[in-house]
Amino acid sequence: QVQLVESGGGLVQAGGSLRLSCTISGRTSTNFAVGWFRQAPGKEREFVAAMRWVGGSPRLADSVSGRFTISRDNAKNTVSLQMNNLKSEDTAVYYCTARTGWNVAYYLTSSYPYWGQGTQVTVSS
């Protein structure tokens, strides 16, 4: 069973930056994929970013494109989300997620069987 643990959340002022990290425990493979979703109070969980574990190119939601960057470190089994120019609407619980297989919609929560418990990001103005 794959286990994910997020870290790096906290309180930051609007316009500031924050870096989230996710540590992956368990077996990874060539068709492994990872991503980040977020959920604000009263809203559905929404896609933020995703990428394949090997090869491919990252995918970002339009709302964060140009501000957020997803990256991975295969040797350390970690995936990170660098968040710059944060806005109040970025406030949410951020979840790290993973799956095996690529023939699914990367932007749907139902495509991912493995989830971390989430880390709170609060942007103040």
Side-chain angles (χ1 to χ4, degrees):
Q1 191 81 275
V2 175
Q3 296 182 4
L4 309 172
V5 180
E6 305 96 334
S7 64
L11 176 65
V12 64
Q13 294 182 348
S17 299
L18 204 61
R19 186 177 181 87
L20 306 182
S21 295
C22 174
T23 300
I24 305 168
S25 299
R27 182 183 178 185
T28 58
S29 63
T30 56
N31 65 344
F32 202 68
V34 294
W36 290 92
F37 285 71
R38 67 186 183 186
Q39 187 167 22
K43 299 185 65 177
E44 295 184 355
R45 191 170 300 185
E46 66 174 352
F47 168 75
V48 176
M51 66 178 179
R52 296 177 178 180
W53 195 244
V54 178
S57 59
R59 307 296 188 186
L60 296 169
D62 290 341
S63 60
V64 304
S65 179
R67 299 188 298 120
F68 290 12
T69 302
I70 184 172
S71 61
R72 68 193 181 214
D73 189 329
N74 299 75
K76 296 182 179 180
N77 270 17
T78 59
V79 56
S80 299
L81 184 69
Q82 178 66 45
M83 304 183 293
N84 298 325
N85 191 24
L86 284 162
K87 305 175 181 180
S88 60
E89 53 261 42
D90 294 318
T91 295
V93 176
Y94 283 71
Y95 296 90
C96 180
T97 188
R99 70 170 189 271
T100 57
W102 294 338
N103 194 27
V104 295
Y106 62 84
Y107 51 86
L108 295 178
T109 59
S110 60
S111 297
Y112 298 87
Y114 308 114
W115 294 87
Q117 65 180 19
T119 184
Q120 176 70 49
V121 173
T122 303
V123 183
S124 63
S125 58

